[in-house]
Short mmCIF file of all heavy atoms in Angstrom, two decimals:
data_model
loop_
_atom_site.label_atom_id
_atom_site.label_comp_id
_atom_site.label_asym_id
_atom_site.label_seq_id
_atom_site.Cartn_x
_atom_site.Cartn_y
_atom_site.Cartn_z
N SER A 1 69.50 87.08 97.84
CA SER A 1 70.94 86.98 97.79
C SER A 1 71.44 86.58 96.41
O SER A 1 70.89 85.85 95.69
CB SER A 1 71.44 85.91 98.74
OG SER A 1 72.87 85.83 98.59
N GLN A 2 72.52 87.24 96.05
CA GLN A 2 73.26 87.02 94.79
C GLN A 2 73.87 85.67 94.78
O GLN A 2 73.76 85.01 93.61
CB GLN A 2 74.22 88.07 94.43
CG GLN A 2 74.95 87.78 93.03
CD GLN A 2 76.12 88.83 92.90
OE1 GLN A 2 76.35 89.62 93.70
NE2 GLN A 2 76.82 88.67 91.72
N HIS A 3 74.29 85.15 95.88
CA HIS A 3 75.08 84.05 95.96
C HIS A 3 74.51 82.89 96.74
O HIS A 3 74.98 81.84 96.93
CB HIS A 3 76.47 84.31 96.58
CG HIS A 3 77.30 85.24 95.76
ND1 HIS A 3 77.48 85.16 94.32
CD2 HIS A 3 78.09 86.29 96.06
CE1 HIS A 3 78.16 86.07 93.74
NE2 HIS A 3 78.60 86.81 94.85
N GLY A 4 73.16 83.14 97.38
CA GLY A 4 72.58 82.22 98.15
C GLY A 4 73.02 82.23 99.69
O GLY A 4 74.02 82.89 99.90
N PRO A 5 72.33 81.59 100.49
CA PRO A 5 72.63 81.65 101.97
C PRO A 5 73.74 80.71 102.38
O PRO A 5 74.21 79.84 101.59
CB PRO A 5 71.25 81.26 102.60
CG PRO A 5 70.68 80.25 101.61
CD PRO A 5 71.19 80.72 100.24
N GLY A 6 74.06 80.89 103.62
CA GLY A 6 75.22 79.84 104.00
C GLY A 6 75.54 80.01 105.52
O GLY A 6 76.21 79.05 106.11
N ALA A 7 75.08 81.04 106.30
CA ALA A 7 75.35 80.99 107.70
C ALA A 7 74.77 80.06 108.49
O ALA A 7 73.58 79.51 108.10
CB ALA A 7 74.94 82.49 108.27
N SER A 8 75.15 79.65 109.74
CA SER A 8 74.67 78.48 110.39
C SER A 8 74.01 78.89 111.69
O SER A 8 74.33 79.89 112.35
CB SER A 8 75.82 77.55 110.81
OG SER A 8 76.57 77.09 109.53
N PRO A 9 72.99 78.14 112.05
CA PRO A 9 72.38 78.31 113.30
C PRO A 9 73.28 77.88 114.57
O PRO A 9 74.14 76.99 114.32
CB PRO A 9 71.09 77.49 113.29
CG PRO A 9 71.36 76.37 112.35
CD PRO A 9 72.33 76.95 111.41
N ILE A 10 73.11 78.53 115.78
CA ILE A 10 73.83 78.07 116.86
C ILE A 10 72.84 78.05 118.06
O ILE A 10 71.88 78.75 118.11
CB ILE A 10 75.01 79.00 117.39
CG1 ILE A 10 74.55 80.33 117.67
CG2 ILE A 10 76.02 78.93 116.22
CD1 ILE A 10 75.62 81.29 118.27
N VAL A 11 73.15 77.06 119.00
CA VAL A 11 72.17 77.00 120.18
C VAL A 11 72.83 77.81 121.25
O VAL A 11 74.01 77.66 121.66
CB VAL A 11 72.17 75.49 120.66
CG1 VAL A 11 71.36 75.39 121.96
CG2 VAL A 11 71.34 74.60 119.55
N VAL A 12 72.05 78.64 121.87
CA VAL A 12 72.45 79.48 122.97
C VAL A 12 71.45 79.44 124.02
O VAL A 12 70.24 80.10 123.80
CB VAL A 12 72.80 80.92 122.48
CG1 VAL A 12 73.20 81.82 123.63
CG2 VAL A 12 73.81 81.00 121.42
N GLY A 13 71.67 78.93 125.14
CA GLY A 13 70.59 78.97 126.28
C GLY A 13 69.33 78.20 125.79
O GLY A 13 69.49 77.14 125.22
N GLU A 14 68.22 78.84 125.98
CA GLU A 14 66.97 78.24 125.62
C GLU A 14 66.56 78.55 124.08
O GLU A 14 65.49 78.12 123.69
CB GLU A 14 65.87 78.80 126.59
CG GLU A 14 66.10 78.38 127.96
CD GLU A 14 66.11 76.96 128.20
OE1 GLU A 14 65.28 76.19 127.63
OE2 GLU A 14 67.09 76.44 128.81
N ASN A 15 67.41 79.13 123.43
CA ASN A 15 67.13 79.65 121.97
C ASN A 15 68.07 79.07 121.05
O ASN A 15 69.15 78.49 121.29
CB ASN A 15 67.21 81.12 121.81
CG ASN A 15 66.25 81.79 122.90
OD1 ASN A 15 65.09 81.40 123.12
ND2 ASN A 15 66.73 82.95 123.39
N VAL A 16 67.64 79.01 119.84
CA VAL A 16 68.56 78.71 118.58
C VAL A 16 68.62 79.95 117.83
O VAL A 16 67.55 80.66 117.56
CB VAL A 16 68.12 77.51 117.76
CG1 VAL A 16 66.64 77.70 117.35
CG2 VAL A 16 68.85 77.38 116.59
N VAL A 17 69.82 80.49 117.56
CA VAL A 17 69.98 81.81 116.98
C VAL A 17 70.52 81.65 115.55
O VAL A 17 71.26 80.80 115.18
CB VAL A 17 71.03 82.57 117.79
CG1 VAL A 17 71.32 83.84 117.14
CG2 VAL A 17 70.55 82.85 119.23
N ILE A 18 69.85 82.50 114.60
CA ILE A 18 70.19 82.36 113.20
C ILE A 18 70.38 83.76 112.66
O ILE A 18 69.45 84.67 112.85
CB ILE A 18 69.20 81.56 112.39
CG1 ILE A 18 69.66 81.43 110.92
CG2 ILE A 18 67.76 82.07 112.51
CD1 ILE A 18 70.83 80.58 110.65
N PRO A 19 71.44 84.11 111.95
CA PRO A 19 71.57 85.41 111.28
C PRO A 19 70.92 85.33 109.99
O PRO A 19 71.12 84.43 109.29
CB PRO A 19 73.04 85.68 111.22
CG PRO A 19 73.64 84.27 111.12
CD PRO A 19 72.76 83.43 111.89
N ILE A 20 70.14 86.37 109.55
CA ILE A 20 69.49 86.54 108.27
C ILE A 20 70.07 87.73 107.60
O ILE A 20 69.51 88.83 107.60
CB ILE A 20 67.90 86.55 108.35
CG1 ILE A 20 67.48 85.26 109.22
CG2 ILE A 20 67.40 86.49 106.96
CD1 ILE A 20 65.97 85.40 109.50
N GLU A 21 71.38 87.72 107.21
CA GLU A 21 72.16 88.88 106.68
C GLU A 21 71.93 88.69 105.23
O GLU A 21 72.57 87.82 104.58
CB GLU A 21 73.49 88.69 107.09
CG GLU A 21 73.77 88.77 108.60
CD GLU A 21 73.79 90.25 109.16
OE1 GLU A 21 73.62 91.21 108.35
OE2 GLU A 21 74.18 90.32 110.29
N GLN A 22 71.23 89.55 104.49
CA GLN A 22 70.89 89.30 103.03
C GLN A 22 71.13 90.59 102.24
O GLN A 22 71.43 91.62 102.92
CB GLN A 22 69.45 88.77 102.86
CG GLN A 22 68.40 89.70 103.59
CD GLN A 22 66.98 89.19 103.51
OE1 GLN A 22 66.61 88.47 102.48
NE2 GLN A 22 66.07 89.52 104.29
N ASP A 23 70.80 90.60 101.00
CA ASP A 23 70.82 91.77 100.30
C ASP A 23 69.45 92.56 100.31
O ASP A 23 68.63 92.63 99.52
CB ASP A 23 70.97 91.38 98.70
CG ASP A 23 72.28 90.71 98.54
OD1 ASP A 23 73.19 90.70 99.25
OD2 ASP A 23 72.47 90.09 97.42
N GLY A 24 69.30 93.11 101.63
CA GLY A 24 68.08 93.94 101.83
C GLY A 24 67.94 93.87 103.25
O GLY A 24 69.03 93.74 104.10
N PRO A 25 66.75 94.25 103.91
CA PRO A 25 66.54 94.30 105.44
C PRO A 25 66.97 92.93 105.97
O PRO A 25 66.39 91.77 105.68
CB PRO A 25 65.01 94.58 105.45
CG PRO A 25 64.56 95.15 104.13
CD PRO A 25 65.45 94.54 103.17
N SER A 26 67.92 93.21 106.96
CA SER A 26 68.51 91.98 107.65
C SER A 26 68.19 92.00 109.12
O SER A 26 67.83 93.07 109.69
CB SER A 26 70.02 92.00 107.30
OG SER A 26 70.23 91.83 106.07
N ARG A 27 68.35 90.89 109.70
CA ARG A 27 68.15 90.75 111.17
C ARG A 27 68.86 89.47 111.73
O ARG A 27 69.18 88.61 110.93
CB ARG A 27 66.62 90.75 111.52
CG ARG A 27 65.95 89.60 110.72
CD ARG A 27 64.52 89.59 111.06
NE ARG A 27 63.72 88.52 110.23
CZ ARG A 27 62.56 87.91 110.64
NH1 ARG A 27 62.06 88.24 111.79
NH2 ARG A 27 61.98 87.00 109.83
N ILE A 28 69.05 89.46 113.01
CA ILE A 28 69.29 88.14 113.65
C ILE A 28 68.30 87.77 114.64
O ILE A 28 67.72 88.60 115.37
CB ILE A 28 70.80 88.32 114.31
CG1 ILE A 28 71.18 87.08 115.11
CG2 ILE A 28 70.72 89.53 115.37
CD1 ILE A 28 72.54 87.06 115.61
N VAL A 29 67.90 86.44 114.64
CA VAL A 29 66.69 86.09 115.12
C VAL A 29 67.04 84.98 116.07
O VAL A 29 67.86 84.00 115.89
CB VAL A 29 65.61 85.45 114.14
CG1 VAL A 29 64.36 84.95 114.87
CG2 VAL A 29 65.31 86.58 113.08
#
């Protein structure tokens, strides 16, 4: 990333979800 990361994780059911939206191949995990 040109500007660094900043999105936050959230708790949903039995999982914790984090977006990895970057300058390149991205995913939500």
Side-chain angles (χ1 to χ4, degrees):
S1 173
Q2 177 185 4
H3 298 318
S8 303
I10 62 171
V11 172
V12 180
E14 297 303 312
N15 300 325
V16 55
V17 177
I18 183 72
I20 308 175
E21 303 271 8
Q22 58 179 332
D23 297 349
S26 299
R27 56 182 175 151
I28 180 170
V29 179

